[in-house]
Amino acid sequence: MIGRCGVAVSKRIHQTTAHSPLLLDRKQYCITIFTKTISSSTDPLHKLNHKDWLAPNEVLKIFKIIRDPDLVLTSLDKVSQRKDYKPNETLFTLVIEKLSQSNRFDAITDIMNRIKAGERSHCKLSDDFFYRVIKIYGNVGGDVEEAEVYLGAAKLGVVVDTCSFNILIKGLCENDDLKEAFELLDEFPKQECSPNAVTYSTLMHCLCRNGRIDEAFELLDRMENEGSDPDAITFNVLISGLGKQGRVDEGVQLLNRMKMNGCKPNLGSYQAVLYSIIDSKKFVDAKRFMDRMMSEGFFPSFLSYKTVIEGLCEENRLGDVDFFLNQMMHQGFVPKMGTWRKIVESICREREELSSVAVTECICDF
């Protein structure tokens, strides 16, 4: 569409040339040129066909507005044929991200094959580029087997390191492909890499999520035997796994073992133990652990206070409720209406019980 401006100009041309046969051809020529000018200005892709010099930032602006994946590929072919511009890492990254959003992983594979076939000679691709591709296949596409192909990136001069392996293992674990994940763990030494705490923690988390907590502890032993020190996240994963199976005491023991091994617990470590105690409905034990937790400089979460207070209300331990209510508000947490209701109900229940006892005693006195 020419738009209001185009219509106005066309009307003006018509008015000035309608009675001049000699100018009819010129009028049509002007309208044609104006129409082409308007349509070109609204279509940024026309720049890819121009012979004028094209700046790299202009190319990126063009590709950023393209949504159709087929048009992305067509535009990439056009810009690749230009003599004044060659695709670079930034452009390849943008193109691949757009294709992944449309689940066009077949097209991404074709582009990677083009890079392997020779387009790498036109631009320098960093390690981060290949890491992003691995993430796209492993996390977005859910096709970790395809992502493993890019471990061959070493042939392109890219060093495959622990980070790359961890990305793949995470993708496999998210798909619960533990067998393949452990096979990949065995590939580390073949690539002259060493697994780290992130590697093992990812595998342990998947094992615990699938109820295979004992195998997670076997992996901890393997980790330590191979000279890799577990960190706080590693222990937190195991503590949470024990809690989900109701093995609360073992979680507390693991927290103590953690400190003995020289690994300093963090807030997450204490919260993992506390949540496991709360889940087991042992609110008195939870109170004791919260006391220990605060004495060691860590303060429970809002959810911890809320759940423990409401649990103590159910057990009519109003003295403990009063203590933790004050602690909770001192930490800046304000109880919600549901918690206040539980407290009031507990107080009323206690008064009813006391009244009942008093009446019983009076009857006995008579």
Side-chain angles (χ1 to χ4, degrees):
M1 296 182 63
I2 298 177
R4 293 181 180 179
C5 180
V7 171
V9 174
S10 298
K11 190 174 182 180
R12 177 80 175 179
I13 293 174
H14 177 75
Q15 291 173 347
T16 57
T17 61
H19 303 290
S20 178
L22 295 176
L23 295 177
L24 286 177
D25 291 339
R26 185 174 296 176
K27 179 188 76 170
Q28 185 62 43
Y29 173 77
C30 290
I31 292 175
T32 301
I33 292 298
F34 184 80
T35 302
K36 288 184 176 180
T37 301
I38 294 294
S39 61
S40 295
S41 63
T42 58
D43 179 17
L45 298 183
H46 78 282
K47 293 184 179 181
L48 297 180
N49 298 320
H50 282 192
K51 295 182 179 180
D52 296 337
W53 184 77
L54 197 59
N57 63 331
E58 290 182 287
V59 175
L60 292 178
K61 288 180 181 179
I62 292 172
F63 276 85
K64 284 179 180 178
I65 65 173
I66 304 175
R67 295 185 179 181
D68 183 359
D70 292 323
L71 190 54
V72 170
L73 294 171
T74 301
S75 301
L76 180 62
D77 289 335
K78 285 184 179 181
V79 78
S80 298
Q81 295 170 4
R82 293 183 63 91
K83 294 182 179 180
D84 61 340
Y85 179 87
K86 293 301 177 184
N88 55 27
E89 179 176 329
T90 305
L91 179 60
F92 279 129
T93 300
L94 179 59
V95 168
I96 288 174
E97 287 177 352
K98 283 185 170 290
L99 292 173
S100 70
Q101 292 168 3
S102 301
N103 292 322
R104 291 293 301 274
F105 296 99
D106 56 334
I108 296 177
T109 301
D110 291 339
I111 290 176
M112 294 303 297
N113 288 334
R114 285 169 57 178
I115 293 174
K116 291 180 181 180
E119 288 197 9
R120 180 174 168 79
S121 60
H122 299 299
C123 70
K124 183 178 180 180
L125 299 178
S126 68
D127 294 2
D128 288 338
F129 172 78
F130 289 95
Y131 297 158
R132 280 192 288 269
V133 174
I134 291 172
K135 283 184 179 180
I136 286 173
Y137 273 101
N139 295 340
V140 181
D143 191 351
V144 182
E145 290 185 4
E146 182 68 23
E148 287 180 28
V149 173
Y150 296 102
L151 289 175
K155 297 178 181 178
L156 298 176
V158 178
V159 177
V160 181
D161 61 6
T162 301
C163 178
S164 302
F165 276 110
N166 286 348
I167 292 168
L168 293 173
I169 287 176
K170 180 181 178 182
L172 287 167
C173 287
E174 287 179 351
N175 293 331
D176 286 333
D177 295 326
L178 272 166
K179 182 176 180 295
E180 291 79 4
F182 274 96
E183 289 177 356
L184 198 58
L185 179 63
D186 295 332
E187 289 292 320
F188 273 80
K190 298 177 183 178
Q191 296 288 336
E192 298 182 354
C193 294
S194 298
N196 57 19
V198 174
T199 314
Y200 289 106
S201 298
T202 303
L203 290 165
M204 290 176 191
H205 182 267
C206 187
L207 287 168
C208 292
R209 189 176 67 238
N210 286 276
R212 299 163 62 177
I213 185 68
D214 292 331
E215 293 178 60
F217 273 94
E218 291 175 3
L219 187 59
L220 176 64
D221 293 336
R222 172 179 172 177
M223 176 182 183
E224 293 176 329
N225 291 334
E226 292 180 357
S228 183
D229 295 325
D231 60 10
I233 295 176
T234 309
F235 282 107
N236 294 355
V237 166
L238 294 172
I239 292 172
S240 296
L242 288 169
K244 289 177 182 177
Q245 290 195 348
R247 298 160 65 173
V248 180
D249 292 339
E250 293 178 65
V252 176
Q253 292 171 9
L254 188 58
L255 179 67
N256 297 332
R257 172 183 169 183
M258 178 180 180
K259 297 173 70 175
M260 291 176 61
N261 286 7
C263 181
K264 186 177 181 180
N266 57 23
L267 178 59
S269 311
Y270 287 94
Q271 278 294 162
V273 174
L274 179 57
Y275 284 139
S276 67
I277 299 174
I278 291 173
D279 290 341
S280 68
K281 306 294 183 183
K282 297 179 179 179
F283 298 110
V284 176
D285 290 344
K287 171 190 175 299
R288 295 194 189 101
F289 187 79
M290 289 171 76
D291 290 338
R292 170 185 170 181
M293 187 174 174
M294 289 185 284
S295 68
E296 295 181 12
F298 296 96
F299 296 92
S301 65
F302 171 82
L303 180 60
S304 300
Y305 278 114
K306 172 183 178 298
T307 310
V308 170
I309 288 174
E310 292 181 2
L312 291 170
C313 284
E314 292 293 330
E315 297 179 358
N316 291 329
R317 300 182 64 89
L318 289 176
D320 293 329
V321 168
D322 182 62
F323 173 79
F324 278 108
L325 185 61
N326 289 328
Q327 281 284 342
M328 180 181 187
M329 299 182 71
H330 182 71
Q331 296 303 321
F333 298 132
V334 179
K336 295 184 179 179
M337 186 59 67
T339 303
W340 286 117
R341 185 179 295 112
K342 292 280 187 182
I343 295 172
V344 172
E345 288 174 355
S346 181
I347 294 172
C348 292
R349 187 165 56 247
E350 184 181 60
R351 287 184 176 179
E352 287 176 1
E353 291 176 355
L354 290 174
S355 298
S356 177
V357 170
V359 171
T360 303
E361 289 178 349
C362 286
I363 294 174
C364 290
D365 289 340
F366 283 109

